[in-house]
Amino acid sequence: MSFAQHGVELRSLSRAGLRRSGRRLLPLVIVAAILSLAIGGRVAADRGNLTGPIQFGAQFAPAIHPPSGAIIGSPGGYDGQFFYAQARDPLLLNDSTVAAMRAAGAGFRLQRVAYPALAFALAGGQAGAIPFTLLASNVVILLGLAAAGVVYTRRRGWSPLWSVAIVLSPGLILAALRDLSDPLALSSMLAGLLLWRSGRRWPAAVALVIAVLTREVMMLAVVAVAGEACVRAWRQSPRPVALRDALSQAWPVIALPSLAFAGWQAYITVRYGGPVGGAGLDLPLLNFVHEAQADLHGYLPMAIWDCLYMLLVLAASAAAWLSLRHRVTITSAAACALSVGVLVPTLGDAWSDTRLSAPLFALLLVDGLQRGRRAPVLISAAAAAMTILIPVAIPGSF
């Protein structure tokens, strides 16, 4: 082969390598661009004041004590203000932190310690840096989720662009814009389940510990691990010894998150001086009826958006339970378990709807890709696609 031919071949290989690299990086570029536009626009609107995404409210400001110069743009604010309060003292060492959460009627939020603890650690304990670390940690988590999704999908021969459908779940983008714990909760839950599926039980246990300390509903994923392990053992051999062996293998992934969750619950109950309470619950599906009734009297574009999204949530829940008819896997079991976390809580606004359902859509997408089933994938992709309609449905979101 001549030098000219060698040169042509090398240039061809180089172009092919660049194309492959471009395909790998494209999901990260898309996610980074959307986050830059959404968060950059919000920060610019707030003139660089990073307390804007926290959403302090005048009603709770006397208890929360926002920093000097903080933006207080609405009467009630949003959940980020409570994460800010706990990020200043995540272990509740000061009685004033507990008193503030009690005065705000937000004691149940003390269960979600991992995200404020992360912001506190990244801030080096400096209260002035917490508005930045609350926002920055969510940006890094979502970019990390996109990068991990690219690696995971490529190894299985799927398009890396499917990782974008997970990150673009409305519940994650909106949570990042308001300094909420959902990106960390979903990412650690998904990591824990997929690590468990690959046989890495100790890393899986650590990831699920983070998940259950970020949002209490993630305990349903731990329940799913126990259920899937029992079903798998029964299929292999319907004898007590098989079940014992399965639980012996799964015990760290079940026990460590359960003990961490129970231990933190006991601690905050003592510090709070009694039960911290929790989110309201409805009869299954009744929450959707109440949500639809509320939409009838709301802002029309938001009502249309929310109704369409609720239909997708119902479709996702149905698809998750139907998947058990084919084969019980950890992703299908967890999707079914977490659908319960969508079907019974009292729904609030479009923000809470998307945050509750984000784990369900993420699990359904992964399970659908693993099984090669089109319906679950399309349902999850449709939910992600609705993210682009949020600025129309919910003015000021982006």
Side-chain angles (χ1 to χ4, degrees):
M1 183 180 292
S2 67
F3 285 113
Q5 289 173 318
H6 274 296
V8 170
E9 184 176 350
L10 288 173
R11 285 194 295 272
S12 177
L13 289 173
S14 177
R15 285 194 295 269
L18 287 173
R19 285 195 296 269
R20 286 194 297 270
S21 298
R23 286 195 295 269
R24 296 171 190 172
L25 292 176
L26 182 58
L28 289 177
V29 172
I30 293 173
V31 170
I34 291 174
L35 288 174
S36 297
L37 289 172
I39 296 175
R42 178 57 192 270
V43 173
D46 293 332
R47 299 181 180 180
N49 190 331
L50 295 182
T51 64
I54 295 175
Q55 295 282 295
F56 289 108
Q59 176 184 351
F60 300 108
I64 299 300
H65 302 296
S68 177
I71 296 173
I72 302 177
S74 66
Y78 210 71
D79 297 359
Q81 61 191 322
F82 305 115
F83 287 117
Y84 168 82
Q86 194 172 359
R88 293 180 302 180
D89 178 26
L91 296 181
L92 310 180
L93 301 179
N94 300 315
D95 291 341
S96 59
T97 304
V98 179
M101 299 299 277
R102 185 184 294 111
F108 72 95
R109 302 183 194 281
L110 295 175
Q111 300 172 97
R112 304 163 188 177
V113 63
Y115 174 57
L118 175 63
F120 175 86
L122 292 176
Q126 301 299 312
I130 287 174
F132 171 76
T133 56
L134 284 170
L135 183 61
S137 58
N138 272 341
V139 172
V140 172
I141 288 167
L142 290 182
L143 289 174
L145 179 60
V150 169
V151 173
Y152 186 82
T153 52
R154 282 190 64 252
R155 286 179 177 176
R156 283 151 184 80
W158 308 333
S159 169
L161 288 173
W162 286 118
S163 62
V164 178
I166 295 177
V167 180
L168 288 193
S169 167
L172 295 186
I173 295 295
L174 295 179
L177 285 171
R178 291 198 174 185
D179 292 347
L180 306 177
S181 64
D182 304 86
L184 179 60
L186 185 146
S187 300
S188 53
M189 177 274 294
L190 196 57
L193 295 178
L194 295 181
L195 285 167
W196 162 245
R197 196 178 75 87
S198 66
R200 303 172 64 184
R201 58 180 187 161
W202 290 103
V206 172
L208 287 176
V209 165
I210 296 171
V212 300
L213 293 180
T214 306
R215 280 189 68 86
E216 59 275 15
V217 71
M218 294 305 169
M219 272 302 300
L220 292 172
V222 179
V223 173
V225 171
E228 186 265 345
C230 291
V231 170
R232 186 156 33 86
W234 179 261
R235 284 178 172 174
Q236 292 172 353
S237 175
R239 293 182 301 172
V241 65
L243 179 60
R244 184 190 63 197
D245 291 344
L247 294 178
S248 175
Q249 178 68 19
W251 79 264
V253 191
I254 301 170
L256 294 185
S258 300
L259 289 173
F261 181 78
W264 182 250
Q265 292 288 324
Y267 175 72
I268 61 175
T269 299
V270 171
R271 291 292 290 126
Y272 198 71
V276 297
L281 300 178
D282 265 328
L283 293 173
L285 298 178
L286 192 59
N287 54 354
F288 288 86
V289 175
H290 293 157
E291 181 78 354
Q293 291 172 339
D295 282 335
L296 291 175
H297 306 287
Y299 176 63
L300 183 59
M302 184 190 298
I304 294 172
W305 188 95
D306 197 35
C307 286
L308 290 174
Y309 193 83
M310 288 296 97
L311 289 175
L312 285 174
V313 173
L314 290 172
S317 300
W321 286 97
L322 287 172
S323 68
L324 295 183
R325 296 175 55 188
H326 300 277
R327 183 163 58 94
V328 177
T329 65
I330 187 54
T331 47
S332 65
C336 291
L338 283 163
S339 73
V340 177
V342 178
L343 298 176
V344 298
T346 301
L347 299 178
D349 54 19
W351 285 82
S352 62
D353 299 346
T354 60
R355 292 164 58 202
L356 284 170
S357 57
L360 170 60
F361 284 120
L363 288 166
L364 192 68
L365 176 62
V366 173
D367 190 62
L369 290 171
Q370 287 174 345
R371 297 170 183 266
R373 296 183 64 227
R374 182 176 299 178
V377 171
L378 292 178
I379 291 170
S380 301
M386 288 190 70
T387 299
I388 63 175
L389 299 177
I390 291 176
V392 176
I394 312 175
S397 295
F398 283 10

